[in-house]
């Protein structure tokens, strides 16, 4: 099929199913993401720098618009069987990179404005929530989920490590405690992601097991012509018998 990048339908069906699930879950979670991002940016704008908060508000809004356009494209074309798999995956990776990087930079900017020695509750809470949200909604594709989590985990580790490098505290300081707490929470995020990936893989196996298989029908056998002996009466009898057997 040319519409799905010259991939055979039996091979493309699992990928199409994953794309459709990814788009459905992402579209349904759009309202939740909008509420969470708006509330977080409003808090950051009120308690910290307003101009920085507004900049990230427009940046996240552009990423969300791009994301919802890609999701609607996938949903519309999977119904009409005209989806291009490579093009869709490319845009999924692009939206993942842009949105995850923007959210990570937003949280890092809040941590920098808070200064060294702060518990950084708001930026770390937002990053951990984004990681859990990604594990719940982006487990259809392992590499997409891993890519997004890698960006979030890098930001989660950067915030406490930066405080340790700048302040150089002793081991009994709470700055080290913040780093150890972040490492502990990351273990929970990894386990949650593994659980969702395992559950979705089992769901895909059940789908493939109960999916009806297309069977190729053999061409209908045609009656062989009866070779008649010289006797006309014997030829007529054999023709009648072969006709009865075929019916």
């Amino acid at each position: 099929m040319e519409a799905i990048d010259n991939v055979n339908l039996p091979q493309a069906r699992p990928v199409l199913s994953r794309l459709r699930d990814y788009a459905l879950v992402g579209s349904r979670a759009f309202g939740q993401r909008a509420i969470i991002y708006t509330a977080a940016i409003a808090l950051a704008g009120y308690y910290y720098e307003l101009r920085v908060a507004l900049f990230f508000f427009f940046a996240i809004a552009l990423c969300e618009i791009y994301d919802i356009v890609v999701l609607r494209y996938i949903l519309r074309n999977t119904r009409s069987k005209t989806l291009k798999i490579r093009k869709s995956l490319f845009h999924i990776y692009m939206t993942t990179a842009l949105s995850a990087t923007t959210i990570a930079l937003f949280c890092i900017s809040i941590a920098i404005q808070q200064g060294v020695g702060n518990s950084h509750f708001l930026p770390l809470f937002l990053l951990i929530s984004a990681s859990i949200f990604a594990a719940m909604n982006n487990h259809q594709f392992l590499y997409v989920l891993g890519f997004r989590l890698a960006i979030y985990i890098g930001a989660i580790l950067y915030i406490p490590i930066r405080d340790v490098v700048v302040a150089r505290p002793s081991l009994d300081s709470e700055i080290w405690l913040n780093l150890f707490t972040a490492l502990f929470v990351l273990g929970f995020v990894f386990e949650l992601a593994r659980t969702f990936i395992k559950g979705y893989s089992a769901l895909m196996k059940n789908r493939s097991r109960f999916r009806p298989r297309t069977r190729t029908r053999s061409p209908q056998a045609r009656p062989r012509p009866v070779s008649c002996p010289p006797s006309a009466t014997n030829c007529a009898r054999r023709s009648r018998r072969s006709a009865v057997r075929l019916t």
Side-chain angles (χ1 to χ4, degrees):
M1 296 177 62
E2 297 180 357
I4 54 176
D5 300 336
N6 296 323
V7 179
N8 293 329
L9 185 59
Q11 299 176 356
R13 187 178 287 117
V15 182
L16 291 174
S17 180
R18 288 177 181 270
L19 285 170
R20 183 168 56 251
D21 293 342
Y22 180 90
L24 283 172
V25 173
S27 299
R28 293 171 182 172
F30 174 75
Q32 298 177 4
R33 296 197 306 269
I35 294 173
I36 293 172
Y37 296 154
T38 303
I41 292 172
L43 290 173
Y46 182 78
Y47 288 99
Y48 304 108
E49 186 66 33
L50 179 60
R51 290 177 296 178
V52 176
L54 289 176
F55 170 78
F56 281 104
F57 175 79
F58 288 109
I60 293 175
L62 290 176
C63 293
E64 288 298 311
I65 292 173
Y66 180 29
D67 188 36
I68 200 66
V69 168
V70 172
L71 296 179
R72 290 184 177 179
Y73 165 80
I74 294 173
L75 290 175
R76 182 174 63 253
N77 290 282
T78 48
R79 294 192 188 100
S80 59
K81 306 296 182 182
T82 58
L83 182 67
K84 294 184 178 180
I85 294 178
R86 294 185 181 90
K87 179 180 178 181
S88 302
L89 290 175
F90 171 78
H91 285 292
I92 286 176
Y93 277 103
M94 285 296 297
T95 57
T96 299
L98 291 174
S99 62
T101 303
T102 305
I103 294 169
L105 291 176
F106 169 63
C107 295
I108 291 174
S109 69
I110 295 176
I112 293 174
Q113 293 176 69
Q114 288 176 337
V116 179
N118 196 294
S119 62
H120 304 301
F121 176 78
L122 179 60
L124 290 177
F125 173 77
L126 292 176
L127 287 170
I128 293 170
S129 300
S131 301
I132 296 174
F133 199 80
M136 295 171 58
N137 298 303
N138 299 145
H139 53 268
Q140 295 83 8
F141 294 99
L142 178 61
Y143 292 110
V144 174
L145 176 59
F147 187 32
R148 184 178 287 272
L149 287 180
I151 297 174
Y152 290 155
I153 290 170
I156 291 172
L157 293 176
Y158 174 81
I159 292 173
I161 290 175
R162 176 182 176 273
D163 286 356
V164 171
V165 172
V166 173
R168 297 183 182 275
S170 59
L171 192 58
D172 58 350
S173 174
E174 289 188 358
I175 296 178
W176 282 102
L177 178 62
N178 293 336
L179 177 58
F180 296 147
T181 304
L183 292 174
F184 176 77
V185 173
L186 288 179
F188 167 74
V189 172
F190 282 129
E191 182 63 24
L192 184 66
R194 188 186 69 85
T195 302
F196 276 102
I197 291 172
K198 185 178 179 180
Y200 187 75
S201 298
L203 176 63
M204 291 298 294
K205 289 181 181 178
N206 292 332
R207 284 183 181 177
S208 61
R209 185 181 304 171
F210 292 106
R211 183 180 293 119
R213 298 180 180 178
T214 57
R215 298 180 179 178
T216 57
R217 297 181 179 180
S218 58
Q220 188 176 1
R222 296 181 179 179
R224 296 180 179 178
V226 180
S227 57
C228 298
S231 176
T233 56
N234 294 333
C235 180
R237 290 175 183 176
R238 291 188 180 184
S239 300
R240 290 172 186 175
R241 289 175 183 176
S242 61
V244 171
R245 289 175 183 176
L246 289 174
T247 56

